[in-house]
Every structure is written in C-alpha cells, then in structure tokens.
Amino acid sequence: MKIVVTGGAGFIGSHIVDRLVEEGHEVVVVDNLSSGRRELVNKSAEFHVRDLKERDWGVGIRGDVVFHFAANPEVRISTTEPSVHFNENVLATFNVLEWARQTGVRTVVFASSSTVYGDAQVLPTPEEEPLRPISVYGAAKAAGEIMCGTYARLYGIRCLAIRYANIVGPRLRHGVIYDFIMKLKKNPNVLEVLGDGTQRKSYLYIKDAVDATLLAWRKFEEMGEPFLALNVGNVDAVRVLDIAQIVAEVLGLKPEIKLIPTTPDGRGWPGDVKYMTLSINKLLKLTGWKPAMTSAEAVRKTAEDLAGELWR
Ligand code: NAD
C-alpha cells in the first residue's frame, strides 16, 4: 500500500514512517522541515520538501492513505500568534483534504489532540465529551476534525482522528521534558517551572503511541463508519513538579525549583489545560490495546532518551 505521511520528518511522524517502512509499505514523506529534520526521514521513504500551506503542495504526489501529522504543535505559540496556528493547522489540513479529494485518497488518519476537550468536566475524558477547546491550537485541531468528518460524509474519504495525549520519546523537540533539559543545560542550578507546578497530565511513550495508532488504523479500515475519533493516551497522569524532579534526577542535578506564575489559576500559560487524562476504553474495546508504560515511566524513559541526545 502507498502511504503519504505529512510531518514525516518530525517527532511522531518519523516514528510512524519507520514502522510503516518496517511493515513493507511504500511510504512518501512530505515535510517543509520547519521543525522536522532531514536526518529523521527513513532512507527507504520517498521524501518531498513541500509546504502544505501552498494550495498546490501535492502536485505529483499520490497515495492510498495519508497520515496527516504535519502541524505546529506548540500550544503556547497558538496563544501569542493565533495566525500561525490558523495557517499551519487549519489551512494546511484543508489543503491536505483538498488534495485527498482530488487524487482519490481512500483514508485520512488525522493527528488530533486531547486539547480539543479543553477543561473537560469528566476525567479520564471519553470521546463523547463535548469539544470545548481553550487554546487556538485545540480549536484548530477541532476544526480539522470537523473538516475531516465533513469530507468523509460528503466525498467518501474515510477519516480517523486520533486525539493524542502528550506523546514523548526520542527525537522530541518540544514540550515540558525537552524545555526542562534545555533550561538545565543553560543553568544547572535553577529550574524555572511555568505555573504552580500542580498541572497534571497524561504522557504516553512513542512506542505505545505508534502501536496504538497502527492498530486503530487497521481496525478502522475494516469498519463502515466514515469518521471515527479515538483517544490515545494514558489513563494516569504526572504533575509538572514531578516531571521536574524526574528530569533533574536523570541528569544527576539538584536544581532550585522556581515557580513562575503565569495565570491566576496556576496554568503553565494562558490556554494550557491544567488537568488531562484520557479514557482509552473505546480503543481497548476495538483492538485490545493498552499502554505498556505508565505516564511516569514514559516521562523517565524520555528524559533518559533526550539526555542521550541533548546533554553533551
Ligand atoms: P513535530 O513538530 O515534531 O512534527 C511536525 C512536523 O510537521 C515537523 O517535521 C514540521 O517540519 C512539519 N510541518 C509543520 N508545518 C508544515 C507545513 N506547513 N508543511 C509541511 N510540513 C510541516 O510535532 P509532533 O510532536 O511530531 O506532532 C505531530 C502531530 O501530532 C502534530 O499534528 C501535532 O499537533 C500532533 N500531536 C502531537 C502531540 C505530542 O505530544 N507530540 C500531542 C497531540 C497531538
């Protein structure tokens, strides 16, 4: 099968590409290398440097399935520069769907996010909870899901939206674990923690995320629904202060922890969801998938992985 992976030079996308290649698929990577890295693109994949914000990005590119993973994943940027997220996450997704419609793609697997729920009333949050994002990033993902669902019902392109928790592991270059390591590299004596440190969220190791994504996709291909949204994450969570502790321990440091208040209710930044865990019952029922690592194990293993990559 020919599979196009947008964002295949980035963190999650490159791991997905490696697995698809391993499984014998013909893989085409599309990435503009804005945050992705050429060296992460699997040598057996065809690689096109293209910008999905361009209407004609897909000229000459064909696939049976597209994994649409390209995006700007930084929630903080979406608060300070909403237009970046409109362009990278809404317009780019629209352009991918248009290309899919025009070239006869059968299935779109869309990288959505737990941020579509906003401050959810129910934790762990099931897929049926309303989408009430509190960040422009979350809104862009919700808009992407709604567009995907509409293209599925209107044009017959089937769409699986995966609502990821925080996915972590080797090659990651954003998010709290990466930020802490980079801050400690600059100053090993003090670690600034944004918010009140009690933010508590679900973390999932990349191998678990790739396993879940591919199991979900294969199951979806056997099903009749035009559109399906599935959570992929851990049902347990870790506090930001505990992440600070784990990262410091892994690096063999004892920094002074300095809390930096940013919102009156202790969030990391405006638009940050403070508490997030996801119900994975739907995916469990469909595929039997369960994470192999807890949130805390995923954070520790990632701190070790990234220390190996960055702590020189
Ligand atoms: P990443 O930044 O490592 O990867 C994104 C990739 O998309 C990069 O290689 C970048 O160069 C590419 N890209 C960005 N804009 C592009 C454009 N206009 N045209 C072509 N390529 C472009 O991020 P990631 O963590 O691997 O995230 C992958 C996907 O998963 C994203 O859609 C993200 O929103 C989603 N997601 C990630 C997480 C997480 O915790 N990592 C959680 C929820 C959802």
Side-chain angles (χ1 to χ4, degrees):
M1 196 181 307
K2 193 163 181 180
I3 302 177
V4 175
V5 181
T6 73
F11 165 54
I12 304 180
S14 67
H15 285 283
I16 294 270
V17 169
D18 287 351
R19 184 71 69 81
L20 290 172
V21 166
E22 225 174 85
E23 290 181 359
H25 297 288
E26 194 184 336
V27 181
V28 180
V29 169
V30 177
D31 200 297
N32 69 352
L33 299 176
S34 53
S35 69
R37 289 169 286 156
R38 194 180 281 276
E39 66 268 24
L40 298 186
V41 179
N42 191 294
K43 298 284 172 286
S44 302
E46 185 182 311
F47 181 32
H48 298 269
V49 180
R50 302 266 174 101
D51 190 332
L52 300 176
K53 297 190 292 302
E54 304 294 332
R55 254 330 250 283
D56 63 352
W57 70 269
V59 170
I61 297 174
R62 293 282 179 282
D64 305 302
V65 174
V66 58
F67 281 70
H68 176 38
F69 278 59
N72 185 315
E74 301 266 12
V75 179
R76 244 182 300 176
I77 292 174
S78 81
T79 299
T80 53
E81 288 179 73
S83 67
V84 169
H85 276 242
F86 176 79
N87 290 322
E88 299 294 343
N89 300 348
V90 180
L91 177 63
T93 298
F94 170 74
N95 285 343
V96 168
L97 289 171
E98 270 299 276
W99 162 81
R101 176 175 77 85
Q102 286 160 12
T103 62
V105 167
R106 188 183 68 222
T107 308
V108 176
V109 179
F110 174 56
S112 185
S113 157
S114 63
T115 58
V116 295
Y117 298 117
D119 290 328
Q121 300 297 301
V122 180
L123 294 175
T125 309
E127 288 84 349
E128 293 69 32
E129 278 300 290
L131 305 191
R132 289 193 192 123
I134 60 163
S135 64
V136 176
Y137 171 77
K141 289 295 182 188
E145 282 197 22
I146 289 171
M147 273 198 292
C148 284
T150 305
Y151 269 64
R153 288 179 289 269
L154 184 61
Y155 301 120
I157 304 166
R158 302 182 66 246
C159 177
L160 171 64
I162 306 216
R163 296 177 183 159
Y164 290 110
N166 294 303
I167 309 302
V168 294
R171 306 178 184 171
L172 181 64
R173 289 295 181 272
H174 59 88
V176 64
I177 306 172
Y178 174 76
D179 280 356
F180 283 170
I181 293 178
M182 296 315 279
K183 281 178 178 170
L184 286 169
K185 209 173 163 176
K186 268 198 193 145
N187 182 356
N189 301 315
V190 177
L191 180 56
E192 288 188 349
V193 172
L194 301 179
D196 65 9
T198 68
Q199 307 97 300
R200 210 173 160 273
K201 303 187 207 188
S202 159
Y203 290 80
L204 186 73
Y205 197 67
I206 185 70
K207 181 176 180 307
D208 276 327
V210 173
D211 288 348
T213 303
L214 295 190
L215 278 170
W217 165 54
R218 272 187 222 106
K219 190 72 199 176
F220 180 66
E221 292 288 9
E222 295 166 8
M223 295 165 68
E225 282 94 332
F227 174 82
L228 180 68
L230 286 174
N231 290 338
V232 166
N234 249 312
V235 284
D236 70 351
V238 198
R239 280 185 332 154
V240 168
L241 273 176
D242 297 325
I243 297 177
Q245 188 61 37
I246 292 170
V247 170
E249 255 172 51
V250 166
L251 299 177
L253 301 171
K254 285 201 167 131
E256 175 202 340
I257 305 283
K258 219 169 153 182
L259 296 176
I260 309 288
T262 54
T263 69
D265 54 358
R267 296 169 195 267
W269 49 85
D272 180 31
V273 173
K274 204 168 175 195
Y275 306 109
M276 181 272 287
T277 51
L278 296 178
S279 162
I280 50 168
N281 286 341
K282 202 164 165 181
L283 184 56
L284 177 70
K285 266 192 209 135
L286 280 174
T287 67
W289 175 81
K290 271 188 191 163
M293 281 189 209
T294 62
S295 286
E297 287 166 348
V299 167
R300 183 171 294 276
K301 175 83 174 72
T302 300
E304 290 166 1
D305 296 330
L306 296 189
E309 293 176 19
L310 304 163
W311 198 254
R312 304 202 175 95

